[in-house]
Amino acid sequence: MAKTPAAVPADEYADTSGGGKGRATPTRAEQEAARKRPLVADTKEAKSRARAELAASRDKARLGMAAGDERYLPARDKGPQRKYVRDFVDSGWHLGEFVMPMMVLVIIATFIPVAFFQYWSFVGLWIFILFVVGDMIILSMRVKKKIGDKFGADRREKGLGWYAAMRSMQMRFMRLPKPQVKRGQHPA
């Protein structure tokens, strides 16, 4: 009977010279599959991470805009003159802020089945709108004068009166950028 060699542990035959690559040569099919794989992994994790980063940057921009940070403001709101106009409008009461509540009252009044209330609610609304337009015109003139006094009439930007009038039409809690001054606290 011939002797069979005893089982030798695999470590004894391991190449200790360090010259091998340490892995099997890939087959042709494996090499082709590796080349066909996209360079950037399009995984669910990557998509969700990108979505989360985009949401975080949007939140940062939204908070920056609400706070009045110049970096996040749109072009129509940038500049020291626009900031002054915003502060000037936000420091006072304006009839334009009450247009929406007034319209809600008129809508409620139309549900009253008496024609007298319906008719006079519409007449009252139109009279109120005329007062609002007058308030907007006066505000526009005041803003232009204040900007001219503070920054110089020759350096006054165009459209500041309209900017002030449109801001005065918004209810205070809906304005963007958010008001930076309290009512009665006029800008310097």
Side-chain angles (χ1 to χ4, degrees):
M1 237 188 175
K3 284 186 165 180
T4 57
V8 180
D11 290 341
E12 289 182 22
Y13 291 112
D15 185 13
T16 57
S17 65
K21 61 184 174 185
R23 58 183 166 77
T25 302
T27 64
R28 182 180 187 134
E30 290 172 346
Q31 289 177 345
E32 288 175 356
R35 284 195 303 264
K36 290 181 182 176
R37 200 177 60 213
L39 296 177
V40 178
D42 195 23
T43 62
K44 289 182 181 178
E45 297 88 29
K47 286 181 182 179
S48 65
R49 188 172 45 252
R51 202 175 298 125
E53 289 172 1
L54 183 63
S57 67
R58 281 185 188 155
D59 285 343
K60 184 178 177 183
R62 182 181 52 80
L63 292 174
M65 182 180 169
D69 189 353
E70 284 283 328
R71 294 173 294 174
Y72 300 107
L73 292 178
R76 71 162 197 264
D77 293 327
K78 287 186 177 181
Q81 292 184 17
R82 300 282 172 147
K83 180 173 179 8
Y84 182 84
V85 170
R86 284 195 303 272
D87 290 345
F88 186 81
V89 171
D90 294 339
S91 68
W93 290 92
H94 302 284
L95 292 176
E97 298 177 51
F98 303 105
V99 169
M100 288 300 249
M102 189 73 158
M103 288 184 175
V104 169
L105 290 176
V106 169
I107 290 171
I108 291 171
T110 59
F111 289 118
I112 299 173
V114 179
F116 175 81
F117 287 118
Q118 294 174 353
Y119 175 77
W120 286 107
S121 65
F122 279 109
V123 170
L125 178 64
W126 282 107
I127 291 170
F128 181 73
I129 288 175
L130 288 175
F131 279 111
V132 168
V133 169
D135 182 46
M136 290 168 61
I137 292 170
I138 292 169
L139 175 66
S140 175
M141 292 185 323
R142 286 178 59 205
V143 161
K144 288 177 184 178
K145 183 178 181 333
K146 292 278 188 178
I147 289 291
D149 293 344
K150 183 170 176 71
F151 295 99
D154 56 329
R155 294 182 31 202
R156 183 175 64 211
E157 295 176 11
K158 291 185 177 183
L160 293 177
W162 181 256
Y163 183 71
M166 289 299 102
R167 188 161 176 92
S168 73
M169 285 290 295
Q170 299 169 350
M171 288 185 271
R172 186 177 169 90
F173 69 92
M174 295 179 72
R175 294 177 184 164
L176 276 178
K178 296 287 183 196
Q180 304 294 315
V181 296
K182 295 180 181 175
R183 292 191 196 268
Q185 180 186 351
H186 295 286

